[in-house]
Amino acid sequence: MNRFAAARRVVVKVGTTTLTHGSGLLNYRRLERLVKTLADLKNSGKEIVLVSSGAIGVGMGELGLSARPQDMPTKQACAAVGQCELMYTYDKLFGEYNHSVAQILLTGEDIVPGKRRDNAANTFRRLLEFGVVPVVNENDTVSTEEIEIGDNDTLSAVVATLIGADALVLLSDIDGLYTANPKEDPTASLIPVVEDVDAVMSLGGGSSSIFGKGGMATKLHAAQTACSAGVDMAIINGSDPTLLYRLFDGENIGTYFVGRKQDV
Ligand code: GLU
């Protein structure tokens, strides 16, 4: 049994490979299921913040690029095109279930302690009071290396701590954390519960997708950030977004990283 059933404020992060087909264009069937599930969880009383990747991948698809751009201006151009398409789609789909969305784009400068971080936190708070679903991404258009957050696994953990979330769920293209890379090692087995993230950090591998960033290493770093702030985290497979129902019913699916609750 996990603590997700009791979680009220929830951050869900979805990656590019979950949102798009191999072509880089949006996977509407999956998106529709994801939005319907999130809308339903929201109706059940949870506050939902969605951290969505996909801007660069979707922009690549729209601009007909087959390789992830390496230079900053091309990445930023793709992100600018793709972010529009993403928000248009989220607005339309959440709107079908009578929920409003808001776009929040952040850079590294906005999440270090200070006025900009406070402003962002205040905006989140007010949006959640209004019952809106904030949809968050890195502000790729203005992010340069110096102020880059880097990947949305990290961003989602930072957002979870910023808004005092109870739980963070990373929807991935893999079922959870394995004892070894299951694509290379047939004896690899899924680890259902991690009590001490530091002890499993060595299990993070590299990134394997041409459209997105991340990989297990960034997910484990996200788990470190989330768990040390007392936020429970799970990695589950995003190919079936309705798994979120089972997770929030308290079932142990994927890998559950137990947040360290501070002693009171
Ligand atoms: N901000 C990037 C995008 O929307 C994604 C970064 C990531 O996948 O972690 O394409």
Side-chain angles (χ1 to χ4, degrees), residues 7 38 136 140 149 158 171 178 189 203 244 256:
L38 293 177
V136 188
D140 295 305
I149 299 164
V158 168
L171 297 177
Y178 281 80
S189 60
L203 297 176
L244 283 163
Y256 168 33

Side-chain angles (χ1 to χ4, degrees), residues 134-224:
V135 180
V136 188
N137 198 355
E138 176 145 15
N139 192 351
D140 295 305
T141 305
V142 297
S143 273
T144 55
E145 246 160 64
E146 303 79 60
I147 58 162
E148 206 181 42
I149 299 164
D151 63 86
N152 278 3
D153 294 325
T154 305
L155 175 63
S156 64
V158 168
V159 166
T161 59
L162 181 72
I163 64 168
D166 304 303
L168 166 64
V169 185
L170 305 185
L171 297 177
S172 177
D173 56 355
I174 189 166
D175 289 343
L177 177 67
Y178 281 80
T179 51
N181 185 344
K183 287 178 192 146
E184 289 160 9
D185 183 347
T187 66
S189 60
L190 184 74
I191 303 175
V193 183
V194 173
E195 303 266 0
D196 178 9
V197 195
D198 297 338
V200 296
M201 288 309 285
S202 61
L203 297 176
S207 169
S208 58
S209 156
I210 57 162
F211 290 106
K213 274 187 173 182
M216 202 43 80
T218 57
K219 290 179 178 46
L220 292 179
H221 280 120
Q224 274 186 320

Side-chain angles (χ1 to χ4, degrees), residues 9-13 38 47-52 104 124 128 132-136 159-160 163 165 167-169:
R9 185 167 286 185
V10 174
V11 177
V12 176
K13 182 258 170 178
L38 293 177
E47 293 174 330
I48 304 287
V49 173
L50 179 62
V51 175
S52 176
I104 296 202
F124 272 113
L128 292 172
V132 168
V133 179
V135 180
V136 188
V159 166
I163 64 168
L168 166 64
V169 185

